Amino acid sequence: MSDKLYIRFCFCLGLLLCYQSGISQITKDSLFLQHLIGKEQYYDAITFSNQLERKYPISIQSKLQLAYQKGFAFYSLKQLDSASVYFSKVPSESPFFPKSQFWAGLSNSYLRDFTKAEKHFKATNSKDSLNRSLQIFELAGLALLQRNQQRFDS
C-alpha cells in the first residue's frame, strides 16, 4: 500500500470514528427511551428510566425529560398515582410542562382527587388560545364531576 493511500485510509477511518462517537451517550439514551415508549414497552421504559436516574445528575435528567417520559409510561399502564407524581416533577421551564400538568390533572381526576386536579389544570397559564380552551374545558369537566353547577356556569 502506498504512503498516500495509507494516509487517506487512516484519515477516512479517523473521520468514521469521530462520526460514530459524535452522538453523545445522553442522546443515545434519550432516543432509546423514546423508542421504548413508542413501541409501547412501558415496563422496560420505566426500568430504563430508573437506570438513567441513577446514572445522570438532575440537570441531565431534566434535559432528557425523564420525569415526563416516566409519567407517560405510568399513565399508559394505568398507574395513575405514580403518573401524577412524575408529571408533577416536570420543571416549569420544560417545554413539556403544560402537557405534564394536563396529564397530571387527568390522572388526579380519575383518582377523584379534584383539588390536585384543579391545581394542575390551573398551573398552565397559557397565552395559547388552544391550550386556554382546553384548560377551561377541563375545569368545567371537574366542576361537573363534583356536581358544582355554579362553578360550571362560570
Side-chain angles (χ1 to χ4, degrees):
M1 190 184 301
S2 73
D3 287 339
K4 286 184 179 181
L5 187 58
Y6 180 74
I7 290 172
R8 286 181 185 166
F9 173 76
C10 290
F11 179 75
C12 290
L13 183 63
L15 283 177
L16 180 64
L17 290 174
C18 287
Y19 176 75
Q20 289 294 325
S21 63
I23 299 175
S24 72
Q25 187 61 43
I26 295 168
T27 303
K28 289 177 186 176
D29 288 341
S30 176
L31 291 172
F32 184 65
L33 181 59
Q34 290 172 18
H35 167 77
L36 290 173
I37 289 174
K39 293 293 183 181
E40 298 179 2
Q41 297 176 349
Y42 302 119
Y43 288 110
D44 293 336
I46 292 167
T47 301
F48 189 60
S49 294
N50 291 338
Q51 293 171 354
L52 295 179
E53 285 174 345
R54 289 189 296 274
K55 182 177 180 179
Y56 294 119
I58 301 280
S59 60
I60 301 294
Q61 291 178 33
S62 181
K63 287 180 186 175
L64 289 172
Q65 306 299 335
L66 277 186
Y68 178 79
Q69 303 282 6
K70 201 169 183 179
F72 186 79
F74 277 120
Y75 185 86
S76 299
L77 292 170
K78 311 277 188 277
Q79 296 178 17
L80 302 178
D81 51 345
S82 297
S84 177
V85 168
Y86 283 98
F87 284 134
S88 298
K89 290 182 178 183
V90 174
S92 59
E93 309 83 48
S94 169
F96 288 94
F97 181 75
K99 276 185 178 180
S100 68
Q101 292 304 301
F102 280 114
W103 285 114
L106 286 174
S107 298
N108 285 305
S109 296
Y110 281 115
L111 294 169
R112 305 197 63 76
D113 189 344
F114 301 122
T115 306
K116 278 186 184 177
E118 184 175 351
K119 181 188 87 149
H120 287 295
F121 289 136
K122 287 184 175 179
T124 57
N125 293 328
S126 179
K127 293 182 172 85
D128 177 28
S129 64
L130 183 60
N131 283 342
R132 180 70 181 134
S133 297
L134 181 60
Q135 181 185 43
I136 291 168
F137 178 77
E138 294 296 343
L139 290 170
L142 273 180
L144 287 177
L145 286 171
Q146 294 173 303
R147 313 256 190 263
N148 187 335
Q149 293 290 344
Q150 241 180 353
R151 207 169 72 207
F152 173 76
D153 291 334
S154 64

